[in-house]
Amino acid sequence: MSRPTPFPSDRPRLALIGAGAFGEFCIPHLRRFFEICVFDPRPDLDLVCERHGVVAADLASAAGQDIVLLAVPFRHLRSVARAVAPHVKPGALVIDVCSVKVKPLAILQEELPAHAEIVGTHPLFGPQSGRDGIAGLRIAVCPARGRRGALVERFLRRRLELSAARMAAEEHDRQMAYVQGLTHLISRIVLAMDVPPLEHKTTTYAHLESMIGMVRHDSDGLFRTILADNPFAGAVMQSFTNATRDVLQPFGYPANSSAL
């Protein structure tokens, strides 16, 4: 049965498709500026919406709003885009928040109707790093279709007080191959080492612990997206492996060591 989407004001209407950890995290920040409806198959969606004072909606109703924010894992993006496509109205703005941009934006341009405008974004923060507020945090804006990239960037800067940077999807992914790829790879390696609690720490080690803490609860799906779905990550990971071998070679690890 379709859920009603009553909007009590004339404020812009935004649909959030995907109420996972990041999607739900977005709601309080966006609710100040939009009338929001939410679609997600999670069984407790009504409780989530009640908690945040927003409206639950069926997929068709959500996809028919003025602005459609897709907060779904990359592995589900094509199927979700295909499902919403018949319901996206002319002139609607569709935004995604995937951690990579080249492949997601290609998918959206393939699956969504030509009358939909598309802007890719990548918030360089999440529920952990943004738990004390998002003002000043970074977000990338990658316009893909239409003319509203500048409008999105202006809203992010002026209303959400984010540090927004507009860039091409390719440039974004080239940078993120280092920025996210190395951060998550090193953190995952240290976590896999199962380091015991340590009483005496240097400031440098404390910074390492802080970095690991920021990504400790990120999903395996996000980790895979960062390393496997970024077209530039493979070269960075190979460079990391080669550099690690070079650094260890003076300590008895041959350059062609299978230890790595």
Side-chain angles (χ1 to χ4, degrees):
M1 178 180 297
S2 297
R3 293 185 172 109
T5 56
F7 291 111
S9 77
D10 293 328
R11 294 196 303 171
R13 299 179 179 183
L14 180 148
L16 172 66
I17 297 181
F22 186 80
E24 185 175 357
F25 170 74
C26 291
I27 295 174
H29 300 289
L30 296 173
R31 187 172 172 269
R32 295 180 292 153
F33 308 102
F34 300 98
E35 296 296 339
I36 297 177
C37 66
V38 183
F39 170 79
D40 191 286
R42 58 188 291 178
D44 63 340
L45 180 61
D46 289 327
L47 293 176
V48 171
C49 291
E50 182 179 352
R51 179 162 63 243
H52 294 290
V54 295
V55 178
D58 60 85
L59 179 63
S61 297
Q65 300 306 315
D66 302 323
I67 303 170
V68 181
L69 178 61
L70 302 177
V72 299
F74 173 71
R75 67 183 182 276
H76 297 311
L77 185 63
R78 186 177 293 277
S79 62
V80 171
R82 192 167 292 172
V84 306
H87 311 289
V88 175
K89 66 183 183 181
L93 174 62
V94 180
I95 302 171
D96 89 290
V97 294
C98 285
S99 296
V100 293
K101 293 271 68 82
V102 171
K103 291 182 179 180
L105 291 178
I107 288 172
L108 294 181
Q109 291 182 88
E110 291 169 9
E111 299 293 344
L112 296 180
H115 60 244
E117 298 197 28
I118 301 170
V119 175
T121 68
H122 175 204
L124 276 73
F125 55 89
Q128 286 293 110
S129 51
R131 64 183 180 274
D132 297 323
I134 63 172
L137 298 181
R138 295 178 180 272
I139 186 168
V141 180
C142 303
R145 183 197 292 166
R147 301 180 178 180
R148 282 191 272 183
L151 181 64
V152 171
E153 181 184 4
R154 188 161 60 247
F155 169 80
L156 295 171
R157 286 180 180 275
R158 296 182 181 179
R159 299 295 186 177
L160 296 184
E161 300 181 26
L162 293 168
S163 176
R166 203 181 335 171
M167 61 180 62
E170 292 82 0
E171 178 60 24
H172 169 274
D173 283 7
R174 286 184 189 277
Q175 292 191 27
M176 288 304 107
Y178 290 97
V179 172
Q180 284 195 304
L182 288 177
T183 301
H184 282 73
L185 179 64
I186 293 169
S187 297
R188 285 288 181 122
I189 290 172
V190 176
L191 284 171
M193 291 172 62
D194 196 22
V195 178
L198 303 173
E199 181 180 355
H200 302 290
K201 307 172 186 178
T202 63
T203 301
T204 304
Y205 186 80
H207 287 316
L208 177 63
E209 279 193 324
S210 177
M211 179 183 77
I212 294 168
M214 289 292 184
V215 304
R216 177 184 296 271
H217 301 293
D218 287 346
S219 68
D220 291 339
L222 176 60
F223 183 55
R224 177 173 178 80
T225 294
I226 289 169
L227 291 190
D229 297 317
N230 185 328
F232 305 103
V236 172
M237 296 306 103
Q238 186 60 57
S239 178
F240 175 83
T241 301
N242 294 341
T244 302
R245 288 173 173 159
D246 291 344
V247 169
L248 291 177
Q249 190 174 357
F251 301 95
Y253 291 88
N256 62 350
S257 174
S258 61
L260 296 175

